[in-house]
Amino acid sequence: RRIRDIVHSGMLGDIAVIFVLSVLVLFIFHQIRAPTIVGFIFTGALAGPQGLGLIQAYEQVDVLAEIGVILLLFTIGLEISLKDLVQMKKYVLVGGTLQLALTIIAVYALLVYFAQPMGTAILIGFLVSMSSTAIVLRIIQKKSEMYTPQGRTILGILIFQDIAMVPLMLATPLLPGAIGEVPESPFAILAKGLGLIALVIVSAKWLVPAALYHIARTDDRELFLLSLVAICFAVAFVSSSAGLSLGLGAFLAGLTISESQYSQQAFGNVLPLRDAFTSFFFVSIGMLLDVNFLLANPFYVILLASGVMLLKSLIAGRRWPSWACP
């Protein structure tokens, strides 16, 4: 009965469409040496409501996409130890603060110059200052640059952005002209965040290594994989409950396992799941693309996208004084 309900809901057919269409599109993109991520996004745009309209179960695809992001950031955490994260503190604090603050100020100044309301200018500054952690880290992984200086710098800034998302969301209802109330006290969210970090440190040092040791002794591959998935989603859920993002929680879950001797084994087990589910995330991004608007305003879209990339490149890529550099 459950399988029949899934078939009737259209979810099974949509999954089949996504996979089959992705294979065809990615094969063509591989022949022309185009990036895989662009192929997935093109697949979503082609099969989405603005394209051929082949996908109907949008909400279910979004859920699968969220699972893909969680697994992607979980594997990133598996590759980074707590020691590495401490060494990146200057990238996170200094680099992240400069990138975020200067981008917001620059966008605000530009929009105010063009007579935009103050609240709107600040809000757009918030949006422009953020980056897609899943997309950027996926590109870095594809290029095998995770352990390079630029890879560490980018990772540090992305971690800061995920953390800064919370105060930015809390500040949005306080902007001039905004309608709404702050959902929760910033101090309560800060306390929950600190509690989550403490839980991660304790788990990484004592709880998770001991648990994985006893699970690995059973020599049961399914049990080991299930344990990894349980840790990943449990920490992600706790992170979401604390007001932080699911992705940040998944990254912290990966950190707890990276301190154990089973980190490489864990990475190898989760990798196939990550690759399968991550494709749904990039396809879902393509489904959100308004193809009609893009075709009607190609010049403005390209100009705006180029302007954002140029502005953020100038801010993040310029040489800062020695006190501000990691």
Side-chain angles (χ1 to χ4, degrees):
R1 179 180 178 181
R2 188 179 300 273
I3 295 176
R4 185 171 62 252
D5 292 340
I6 292 176
V7 173
H8 289 167
S9 69
M11 182 179 177
L12 185 60
D14 288 346
I15 292 176
V17 168
I18 289 174
F19 278 123
V20 172
L21 194 58
S22 295
V23 170
L24 296 176
V25 172
L26 292 183
F27 179 79
I28 295 174
F29 272 58
H30 178 74
Q31 298 300 315
I32 63 177
R33 301 184 182 276
T36 302
I37 292 178
V38 178
F40 280 124
I41 295 176
F42 181 80
T43 300
L46 187 62
Q50 299 295 327
L52 301 177
L54 301 177
I55 298 177
Q56 304 298 327
Y58 302 115
E59 294 183 0
Q60 290 86 342
V61 173
D62 287 340
V63 172
L64 296 176
E66 195 69 45
I67 294 175
V69 174
I70 290 173
L71 292 174
L72 173 62
L73 294 177
F74 178 61
T75 56
I76 297 295
L78 287 173
E79 296 183 275
I80 305 294
S81 66
L82 284 174
K83 182 180 179 181
D84 294 331
L85 193 61
V86 171
Q87 292 176 347
M88 292 184 343
K89 60 181 180 295
K90 290 185 178 180
Y91 295 109
V92 177
L93 298 177
V94 179
T97 302
L98 286 173
Q99 183 272 328
L100 193 75
L102 293 176
T103 302
I104 294 174
I105 293 172
V107 173
Y108 169 79
L110 285 172
L111 293 180
V112 169
Y113 176 79
F114 288 105
Q116 292 296 319
M118 180 184 299
T120 302
I122 297 176
L123 178 60
I124 295 179
F126 287 172
L127 298 175
V128 174
S129 66
M130 294 288 112
S131 304
S132 173
T133 302
I135 292 178
V136 175
L137 291 183
R138 184 64 170 168
I139 293 174
I140 294 176
Q141 277 190 331
K142 283 288 186 179
K143 294 184 176 182
S144 301
E145 294 182 354
M146 185 61 67
Y147 295 100
T148 62
Q150 64 269 23
R152 293 303 180 93
T153 303
I154 293 172
L155 177 60
I157 293 177
L158 290 173
I159 293 173
F160 182 87
Q161 288 183 359
D162 284 341
I163 297 173
M165 180 67 73
V166 176
L168 293 183
M169 291 178 62
L170 293 175
T172 299
L174 304 177
L175 297 176
I179 300 176
E181 299 179 356
V182 178
E184 190 173 0
S185 169
F187 298 103
I189 295 180
L190 177 62
K192 292 178 181 180
L194 293 176
L196 177 63
I197 293 175
L199 175 63
V200 168
I201 294 175
V202 172
S203 300
K205 292 296 183 182
W206 296 287
L207 300 181
V208 172
L212 290 181
Y213 170 75
H214 292 289
I215 292 173
R217 288 185 62 186
T218 65
D219 200 25
D220 190 327
R221 188 172 180 273
E222 289 78 10
L223 177 60
F224 186 79
L225 177 59
L226 185 61
S227 302
L228 298 177
V229 174
I231 293 172
C232 172
F233 282 90
V235 178
F237 174 76
V238 172
S239 173
S240 178
S241 301
L244 302 174
S245 68
L246 285 169
L248 180 61
F251 174 78
L252 294 176
L255 283 179
T256 64
I257 299 176
S258 68
E259 294 295 313
S260 71
Q261 59 180 320
Y262 304 103
S263 59
Q264 294 298 322
Q265 181 181 352
F267 183 85
N269 279 280
V270 177
L271 194 60
L273 283 176
R274 183 203 70 181
D275 291 340
F277 280 97
T278 302
S279 62
F280 286 100
F281 169 73
F282 298 115
V283 170
S284 68
I285 295 297
M287 290 168 56
L288 296 175
L289 181 64
D290 191 336
V291 180
N292 294 328
F293 181 83
L294 177 62
L295 295 177
N297 306 276
F299 175 76
Y300 294 106
V301 172
I302 294 174
L303 181 63
L304 180 60
S306 301
V308 171
M309 290 189 291
L310 178 62
L311 176 65
K312 298 185 75 171
S313 298
L314 291 175
I315 292 175
R318 67 163 294 180
R319 182 178 297 277
W320 297 98
S322 58
W323 62 267
C325 296

